[in-house]
């Protein structure tokens, strides 16, 4: 990760922030004046610059507000946090117009300061990932007729500012469609701001959307712009709009109707020059009938509706998406991209993908890390994928839809799949249903060779089935360390998944797993998971 740059002429402020951030595993670099910061930025390329810039306002040799303006000209996506004494707050309000991420009033509470910087780091990293994906890959991929319909709709809407409602299951790529609509619209040069209304507590959502004035509520020490103001001149993407609280639906309807809103605690209306794109995985018509969603807001949002197909409805896109995601995962991890065999692609095509494209992307990331060889075979797939029974009718249809070129060698591919997961175990098995197992919870791929007689009554759904089959194979082989072997693999996968979720932050990973910080440190050492 790139360092946090701290700019302040007060040595004590720099020292306190440096130590606090280093304890959190965040590297730092300090400056005493804006001039040195601009010089360092001119000498370094984008990769060697800061992750976040934290700057005081009043310093010898230049103003923090002037620094903010110049930095934003060169690096518009860099989060800048302005530190200011209470006496500077009124003059610093103008910094929001220059794109400041947030204020840090002095004297500040150190844990809150670290939390704010951590939020800025996460925002910066999200933007970096989004920009990298947009730069190295097409916005969206899809040869299926349903996806071609979506592409045509985006093209027709390219020069329009009309409100759009995107529907589709979770993980189907609704935000990608929203970004594509923004990129090809007259507002492409403006900001694209996304907010998941289901992920923010109800009592904070109003402030997130509309901002608040200083003193509007306890803890509101500064004026803060909401997402509507942040998206000025651009596009605001409201994800999971069906979960928006009913009282906030009224405020949103008012903004969409007359284009004005009030910050929380404010008395002056603010003009909103924003295009709104909404998305949901819910049936909004049913929500309206239940009284959970305003009918007038539904009609206001539902001007143009785009439905995204689930991945199981576009299975012919699975091979192309899989190869793309394997390349992207390899680039992110700095390793050689892995290849996937035809038989493994067939097996992927049989899976129901309840998590849609996002789940396929996660599987490809898992395979990049866990598959033992450069060529991915069916036995290397996560258990919830490998355990899907290749039924005669559904299996053949899925083979043809995944890749028509496989039809000529379908019998060979089918035999390869059955041979790798143990054909005997499925000889008398009941018809398989869609598996809803989580990629993050899965273990290693299944080894072949399990016979019907060896495992006649094993569970055939979920990741637990993979565990049972793996244990049965080890026990049948005469191993006497099965408990230790499988426990180590389970704990390793659980800890690595948690660390991936928290971007390597051990304390947060331990909290989410429900264990102590000393326990996770000891386990990482015992299991050989150190970087």
């Amino acid at each position: 990760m790139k360092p946090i740059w701290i700019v302040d002429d007060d040595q004590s402020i720099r020292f306190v922030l440096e130590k606090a951030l280093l304890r959190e595993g965040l590297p730092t670099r300090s400056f005493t004046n804006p001039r040195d910061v601009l010089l360092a930025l001119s000498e370094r390329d984008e990769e060697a610059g800061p992750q976040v810039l934290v700057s005081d306002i009043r310093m010898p040799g230049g103003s923090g507000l002037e620094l903010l303006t110049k930095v934003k000209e060169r690096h518009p996506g860099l989060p800048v946090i302005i530190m200011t004494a209470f006496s500077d707050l009124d003059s610093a309000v103008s910094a929001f117009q220059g794109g400041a991420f947030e204020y840090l009033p002095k004297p500040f509470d150190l844990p809150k300061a670290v939390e704010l910087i951590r939020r800025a780091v996460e925002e910066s990293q999200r933007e970096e990932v989004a920009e990298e994906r947009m730069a190295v890959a097409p916005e969206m991929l899809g040869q299926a007729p349903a996806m071609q319909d979506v592409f045509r709709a985006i093209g027709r809407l390219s020069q329009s500012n009309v409100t759009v409602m995107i529907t589709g299951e979770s993980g189907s790529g609704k935000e990608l469609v929203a970004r594509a609509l923004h990129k090809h619209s007259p507002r492409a040069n403006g900001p694209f701001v996304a907010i998941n209304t289901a992920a923010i507590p109800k009592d904070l959502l109003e402030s997130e959307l509309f901002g608040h004035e200083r003193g509007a509520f306890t803890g509101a020490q500064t004026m803060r712009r909401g997402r509507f103001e942040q998206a000025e001149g651009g596009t605001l993407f409201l994800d999971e709009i069906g979960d928006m609280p009913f009282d906030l639906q009224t405020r949103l309807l008012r903004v969409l109707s007359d284009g004005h809103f009030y910050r929380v605690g404010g008395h002056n209306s603010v003009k909103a020059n924003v295009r709104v794109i909404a998305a949901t995985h819910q049936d909004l018509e049913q929500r309206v009938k239940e009284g959970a969603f305003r009918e007038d807001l539904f009609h206001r949002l539902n001007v143009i509706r785009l439905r995204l197909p689930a991945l199981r409805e576009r299975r012919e896109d699975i091979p192309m998406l899989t190869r793309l995601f394997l390349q992207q995962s390899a680039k992110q991890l700095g390793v050689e991209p892995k290849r996937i065999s035809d038989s493994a692609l067939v097996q992927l095509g049989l899976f129901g993908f309840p998590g849609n494209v996002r789940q396929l992307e996660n599987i490809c990331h898992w395979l990049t890390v866990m598959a033992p060889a450069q060529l991915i075979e069916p036995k290397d797939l996560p258990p919830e994928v490998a355990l899907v029974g290749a039924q005669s009718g559904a299996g053949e249809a899925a083979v043809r839809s995944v890749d028509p070129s496989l039809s000529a060698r379908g019998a060979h591919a089918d035999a390869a799949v059955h041979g790798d997961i143990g054909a005997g175990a499925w000889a008398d098995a009941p018809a398989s249903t869609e598996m809803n197992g989580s990629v993050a919870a899965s273990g290693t791929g299944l080894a072949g060779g399990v016979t019907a007689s060896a495992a006649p009554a094993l569970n055939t759904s979920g990741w637990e089935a993979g565990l049972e089959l793996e244990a049965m194979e080890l026990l049948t082989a005469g191993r006497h360390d099965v408990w230790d072997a499988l426990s180590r693999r389970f704990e390793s996968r659980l800890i690595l998944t948690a660390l991936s979720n928290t971007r390597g932050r051990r304390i947060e990973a331990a909290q989410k797993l429900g264990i102590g910080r000393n326990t996770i440190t000891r386990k990482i050492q015992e299991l050989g998971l150190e970087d």
Side-chain angles (χ1 to χ4, degrees):
M1 194 191 82
K2 294 182 287 188
I4 313 299
W5 284 14
I6 302 169
V7 192
D8 200 313
D9 60 318
D10 188 332
Q11 182 181 3
S12 61
I13 295 292
R14 298 197 306 270
F15 178 82
V16 168
L17 281 176
E18 287 170 1
K19 296 301 180 185
L21 293 173
L22 287 174
R23 280 197 300 270
E24 293 294 318
L26 297 173
T28 64
R29 183 183 177 187
S30 292
F31 301 83
T32 59
N33 60 76
R35 184 179 59 254
D36 291 344
V37 176
L38 294 173
L39 182 62
L41 283 174
S42 64
E43 293 174 348
R44 293 169 173 264
D45 57 27
E46 184 107 8
E47 293 299 318
Q51 193 79 46
V52 173
L53 179 65
V54 184
S55 175
D56 193 19
I57 281 188
R58 301 179 184 272
M59 293 172 286
S63 161
L65 296 181
E66 295 173 357
L67 175 63
L68 171 65
T69 301
K70 293 177 180 178
V71 166
K72 283 296 180 179
E73 289 175 355
R74 302 182 189 184
H75 306 280
L78 175 65
V80 179
I81 296 173
I82 295 294
M83 293 187 294
T84 175
F86 284 108
S87 59
D88 292 327
L89 282 177
D90 291 337
S91 63
V93 165
S94 60
F96 270 133
Q97 301 301 320
F101 179 80
E102 189 57 274
Y103 287 126
L104 185 56
K106 293 180 180 179
F108 52 77
D109 179 74
L110 194 54
K112 290 183 178 179
V114 172
E115 179 185 357
L116 173 59
I117 294 172
R118 175 74 73 184
R119 276 202 295 119
V121 168
E122 292 174 351
E123 180 69 23
S124 175
Q125 290 174 334
R126 276 196 299 269
E127 287 301 314
E128 285 176 354
V129 170
E131 289 174 5
E132 180 179 345
R133 287 180 177 175
M134 294 289 282
V136 302
E139 293 165 305
M140 302 179 69
L141 290 174
Q143 297 175 343
M147 285 305 296
Q148 291 299 312
D149 289 341
V150 172
F151 297 160
R152 278 191 288 271
I154 292 173
R156 294 190 188 102
L157 293 168
S158 62
Q159 296 305 310
S160 171
N161 282 316
V162 68
T163 302
V164 178
M165 171 76 78
I166 305 171
T167 61
E169 296 181 5
S170 295
S172 57
K174 295 187 288 294
E175 184 170 343
L176 286 178
V177 172
R179 287 184 179 275
L181 287 168
H182 169 74
K183 181 179 178 180
H184 297 286
S185 76
R187 296 174 173 268
N189 293 328
F192 177 89
V193 177
I195 180 172
N196 187 324
T197 59
I200 299 175
K202 176 182 177 181
D203 55 345
L204 298 179
L205 184 56
E206 184 177 17
S207 175
E208 282 291 323
L209 281 172
F210 304 108
H212 62 252
E213 297 289 353
R214 178 182 176 186
F217 49 83
T218 302
Q221 298 177 331
T222 66
M223 185 276 286
R224 186 173 188 274
R225 294 187 307 164
R227 302 301 176 93
F228 268 95
E229 286 183 84
Q230 294 171 18
E232 178 68 18
T235 302
L236 177 62
F237 176 54
L238 301 175
D239 199 7
E240 300 303 348
I241 191 72
D243 293 305
M244 176 175 280
F246 199 85
D247 53 344
L248 279 185
Q249 294 176 25
T250 304
R251 290 206 61 181
L252 177 59
L253 176 64
R254 189 174 298 121
V255 179
L256 295 176
S257 300
D258 61 23
H260 290 83
F261 65 91
Y262 291 86
R263 299 189 191 102
V264 177
H267 303 287
N268 298 317
S269 67
V270 180
K271 173 69 174 175
N273 176 21
V274 172
R275 180 193 193 183
V276 172
I277 298 176
T280 182
H281 72 280
Q282 301 189 53
D283 183 345
L284 284 190
E285 285 95 336
Q286 184 61 34
R287 297 275 290 170
V288 169
K289 292 178 182 177
E290 295 169 353
F293 200 85
R294 290 185 61 113
E295 184 174 7
D296 45 5
L297 176 59
F298 169 74
H299 292 302
R300 178 70 67 170
L301 291 170
N302 195 40
V303 179
I304 299 290
R305 185 186 300 204
L306 288 181
R307 178 189 175 274
L308 270 185
L311 187 55
R312 61 183 174 275
E313 299 174 39
R314 43 182 293 223
R315 294 184 187 272
E316 56 264 56
D317 291 338
I318 291 176
M320 175 175 52
L321 291 170
T322 300
R323 295 184 180 104
L324 173 66
F325 291 147
L326 286 174
Q327 291 176 353
Q328 290 180 345
S329 294
K331 182 174 181 180
Q332 292 171 15
L333 296 172
V335 297
E336 188 71 18
K338 291 185 176 178
R339 295 174 292 111
I340 185 165
S341 67
D342 288 345
S343 55
L345 280 175
V346 169
Q347 190 70 8
L348 271 178
L350 299 175
F351 187 54
F353 286 103
N356 290 294
V357 178
R358 184 184 297 124
Q359 185 176 17
L360 176 59
E361 184 176 11
N362 289 341
I363 287 174
C364 291
H365 194 74
W366 187 89
L367 288 169
T368 300
V369 175
M370 297 299 296
Q374 282 301 109
L375 181 64
I376 298 168
E377 299 289 356
K379 61 184 176 60
D380 302 320
L381 296 172
E384 69 271 20
V385 178
L387 285 171
V388 176
Q391 305 161 23
S392 57
E396 292 172 6
V399 169
R400 288 193 296 271
S401 65
V402 167
D403 190 342
S405 67
L406 297 179
S407 298
R409 53 184 185 275
H412 170 74
D414 188 58
V417 171
H418 282 280
D420 281 327
I421 67 171
W426 296 103
D428 301 312
S432 176
T433 58
E434 271 186 21
M435 304 300 179
N436 291 314
S438 167
V439 175
S442 57
T444 59
L446 299 178
V450 180
T451 63
S453 59
L458 292 179
N459 175 24
T460 58
S461 65
W463 65 271
E464 295 94 337
L467 178 62
E468 291 181 21
L469 286 172
E470 190 76 8
M472 182 61 71
E473 184 192 21
L474 295 177
L475 292 167
T476 305
R479 293 274 293 270
H480 296 282
D481 62 342
V482 176
W483 180 278
D484 183 59
L486 293 182
S487 295
R488 287 178 63 86
R489 284 160 56 184
F490 174 79
E491 290 179 343
S492 296
R493 182 60 21 217
L494 200 57
I495 290 173
L496 287 173
T497 302
L499 290 172
S500 174
N501 176 260
T502 62
R503 293 188 175 91
R505 297 191 293 275
R506 294 186 181 183
I507 295 177
E508 185 178 346
Q511 291 172 342
K512 289 190 172 185
L513 291 173
I515 60 178
R517 57 188 297 181
N518 292 335
T519 301
I520 195 171
T521 299
R522 174 171 53 80
K523 287 290 185 182
I524 288 173
Q525 293 172 346
E526 290 177 353
L527 298 170
L529 303 180
E530 294 280 5
D531 293 336

